[in-house]
């Protein structure tokens, strides 16, 4: 059975779309895959006037945001990815074993 332990989800979402959907979509991806989601995001106002959401974050396999950039500014988001805890969640909720691809 092939599965990813970490999903990388880079983004340059518009401010409106990011504000409405960025966090819930990332949390859903983490939960449905029981995987860590590392999501770097471009943020701020760009030369052409476009504004992007930012708010880079790391979400654990249970859907909890464990680290987040609080705004659209530059910065670094750091989190420890606990492989043992991930294995425990996957044992408790073996949903990935029931996938048919």
């Amino acid at each position: 059975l092939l599965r990813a332990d970490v999903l990388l989800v880079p983004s340059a979402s518009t401010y409106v779309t990011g504000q409405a959907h960025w966090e819930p979509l990332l949390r859903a991806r983490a939960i449905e895959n029981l995987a860590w989601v590392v999501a770097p995001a471009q943020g701020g106002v760009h030369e052409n006037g476009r504004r992007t959401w930012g708010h880079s974050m790391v979400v654990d396999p249970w859907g909890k945001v464990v680290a987040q950039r609080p705004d659209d500014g530059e910065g670094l988001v750091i989190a420890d990815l606990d492989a043992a805890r991930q294995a425990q969640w996957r044992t408790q909720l073996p949903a990935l074993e029931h996938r048919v691809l």
Side-chain angles (χ1 to χ4, degrees):
L1 177 64
L2 297 175
R3 60 178 154 218
D5 292 329
V6 179
L7 304 176
L8 303 177
V9 186
S11 176
S13 295
T14 66
Y15 189 86
V16 172
T17 302
Q19 186 177 36
H21 302 296
W22 180 238
E23 184 177 327
L25 289 175
L26 293 174
R27 293 179 71 198
R29 296 301 76 80
I31 294 165
E32 70 191 6
N33 291 287
L34 288 170
W36 290 91
V37 171
V38 176
Q42 185 182 66
V45 179
H46 305 275
E47 288 182 22
N48 64 1
R50 180 175 184 258
R51 185 174 180 196
T52 49
W53 177 241
H55 293 79
S56 298
M57 69 177 68
V58 178
V59 183
D60 76 14
W62 204 246
K64 179 183 176 189
V65 176
V66 295
Q68 180 177 18
R69 175 79 195 154
D71 56 27
D72 62 1
E74 294 180 20
L76 186 62
V77 176
I78 299 174
D80 290 323
L81 308 186
D82 186 341
R85 185 71 176 121
Q86 180 177 24
Q88 185 178 27
W89 281 317
R90 286 181 170 178
T91 299
Q92 291 173 341
L93 182 66
L96 296 177
E97 310 220 358
H98 302 290
R99 285 187 173 177
V100 178
L101 301 176

